[in-house]
Amino acid sequence: MIHKSEIGCERLFNRVIPAIRNMKDFEYALKKDHEYIIFLETRLSQVESVVKYAKKNGKKVFMHADLIQGLKMDEYGIEYLINNVKVDGIISTRVNVITLAKKHNIIAIQRLFALDSHVLENNVKVCRKIQPDFIEVLPGIIPGIMEEIHEKTGIPLIAGGLIRTKEDVEKSIENGAIAVTTSNRELW
């Protein structure tokens, strides 16, 4: 199990984090030189085996907890991911999931959607209160919003969503993201 303090933000994730949506993406990501991968969509019956296999291949694994079909995201579901599956971090849009991940001392990434000003302000308030280790902002290609969120929270940002080109990656990094998540294999 790793904690944010063990990761130094400056070397985090090689700047691009593969976001896995299916088994073909998983197989492809295992061949790439990335220390971290994110499982976006998976089923409960696959979770333990894919994480074990990823770790066997030298990868650290973050799970998007909200997208695990068949797993209830309560205290017991988080304990299962930490103790049985041995994930290195959890991504979620849910405050209770992030709070539980922090309680169990694993990396907690709050996924935040920048939909409109009202939603953005509420999300910023929540992030200031619960203090996730990182905030993943979607869509990650909105420069002014990235800067605003970082200014208001002081929490390191990860850009995600609609990252389609190398230029999108570069612009996201230039605008304050420490890393970018993408399911676009060409950017891995």
Side-chain angles (χ1 to χ4, degrees):
M1 185 176 341
I2 57 174
H3 189 268
K4 181 181 112 173
S5 61
E6 297 173 37
I7 298 178
C9 289
E10 66 282 350
R11 63 173 270 280
L12 186 69
F13 312 122
N14 296 346
R15 298 292 197 184
V16 174
I17 310 165
I20 312 300
R21 291 192 179 278
N22 57 53
M23 294 312 288
K24 285 186 180 187
D25 286 348
F26 178 50
E27 292 168 9
Y28 185 79
L30 289 178
K31 298 174 187 169
K32 301 308 254 177
D33 188 28
H34 292 278
E35 184 176 4
Y36 295 87
I37 59 174
I38 295 172
F39 279 97
L40 291 178
E41 299 168 16
T42 189
R43 297 185 311 265
L44 182 58
S45 62
Q46 295 176 313
V47 172
E48 282 189 61
S49 61
V50 295
V51 171
K52 186 176 183 178
Y53 192 69
K55 288 178 176 274
K56 182 178 175 182
N57 283 273
K59 305 296 183 191
K60 293 183 176 128
V61 179
F62 293 155
M63 277 284 169
H64 191 310
D66 305 353
L67 300 178
I68 301 172
Q69 297 172 23
L71 183 65
K72 184 176 179 183
M73 282 297 98
D74 59 8
E75 178 93 30
Y76 304 115
I78 296 300
E79 285 177 2
Y80 169 75
L81 288 176
I82 294 167
N83 298 329
N84 296 66
V85 179
K86 307 218 183 296
V87 297
D88 297 296
I90 292 177
I91 301 169
S92 181
T93 59
R94 300 175 184 172
V95 172
N96 71 310
V97 172
I98 297 302
T99 302
L100 288 168
K102 288 184 63 70
K103 177 182 171 186
H104 289 281
N105 203 30
I106 68 164
I107 294 174
I109 302 173
Q110 176 73 49
R111 189 175 245 200
L112 179 153
F113 293 98
L115 301 174
D116 63 34
S117 298
H118 180 71
V119 170
L120 181 62
E121 195 55 41
N122 284 339
N123 284 330
V124 165
K125 285 178 188 175
V126 166
C127 287
R128 280 193 295 224
K129 182 178 178 182
I130 64 170
Q131 291 292 301
D133 296 308
F134 301 96
I135 300 171
E136 181 187 23
V137 180
L138 286 89
I141 56 172
I142 308 174
I145 299 302
M146 298 288 289
E147 293 167 9
E148 178 183 339
I149 293 169
H150 188 264
E151 270 182 28
K152 290 181 176 182
T153 65
I155 298 169
L157 301 181
I158 299 169
L162 299 177
I163 307 293
R164 298 178 182 154
T165 65
K166 286 183 179 183
E167 292 78 23
D168 291 339
V169 171
E170 291 166 5
K171 286 178 185 174
S172 295
I173 300 296
E174 287 170 12
N175 289 303
I178 60 163
V180 173
T181 63
T182 181
S183 57
N184 182 345
R185 284 188 190 186
E186 293 174 13
L187 298 176
W188 296 355

